[in-house]
Amino acid sequence: MKFILSSRAFAWLVLAAGLTSTVAAPLQRVPNTSLVMPTNPPSYGFMGSNVFGGMIFTNPVTMATPPGETNRLFILEKRGRIVVITNFASPSRTIFMDITGRVTGSETSVGSEEGLLGLAFHPGYATNGYFFVWYTGND
């Protein structure tokens, strides 16, 4: 035998069930007495330094190195330049690729998600020279 419950009867059933249930009391905040923070946090000796000898980058976005290389560092500037740093003992900077004419954005645009945004090297970059860039274009 089928039992069909109308929407009005269902609403009364839900209301009646809600009236008979107990209401939970509000939660009480209990202080944490086992966590003690030091008044003077310890220092671990971190410090910043300019490792590139005062080189200036305009809106740098990311850094990448080709697979297996330890002597070159590629730095992307949001406007569309890929700068390569070589000879870390005495760093030198050269422009590896400049696609500023193809990239949407400006020199001062820092908050938007446009420009040259990513670089990935093919696993076989050493032999085939393939790399991939992610950017927003003018079109």
Side-chain angles (χ1 to χ4, degrees):
M1 172 192 243
K2 282 186 165 178
F3 180 72
I4 299 174
L5 188 62
S6 71
S7 60
R8 178 177 280 171
F10 179 72
W12 278 107
L13 185 63
V14 170
L15 182 61
L19 293 176
T20 60
S21 66
T22 58
V23 177
L27 296 175
Q28 297 275 334
R29 184 175 181 148
V30 179
N32 183 347
T33 57
S34 63
L35 178 65
V36 180
M37 297 297 291
T39 52
N40 294 320
S43 174
Y44 293 106
F46 294 109
M47 59 183 246
S49 64
N50 190 341
V51 295
F52 296 128
M55 292 181 191
I56 304 295
F57 300 97
T58 305
N59 292 336
V61 176
T62 190
M63 297 184 293
T65 57
E69 287 194 22
T70 58
N71 61 343
R72 292 192 301 171
L73 180 66
F74 292 77
I75 300 172
L76 275 67
E77 293 181 338
K78 194 171 183 182
R79 183 62 189 107
R81 285 179 295 273
I82 300 176
V83 177
V84 63
I85 306 297
T86 56
N87 188 10
F88 295 145
S90 178
S92 64
R93 169 194 168 125
T94 54
I95 302 293
F96 177 74
M97 186 170 81
D98 188 346
I99 57 171
T100 54
R102 300 179 67 167
V103 173
T104 301
S106 69
E107 294 287 342
T108 58
S109 171
V110 293
S112 63
E113 292 186 17
E114 62 183 11
L116 179 58
L117 302 173
L119 170 69
F121 290 96
H122 187 278
Y125 175 77
T127 57
N128 64 21
Y130 293 166
F131 63 95
F132 309 92
V133 292
W134 176 262
Y135 66 95
T136 55
N138 294 323
D139 293 333

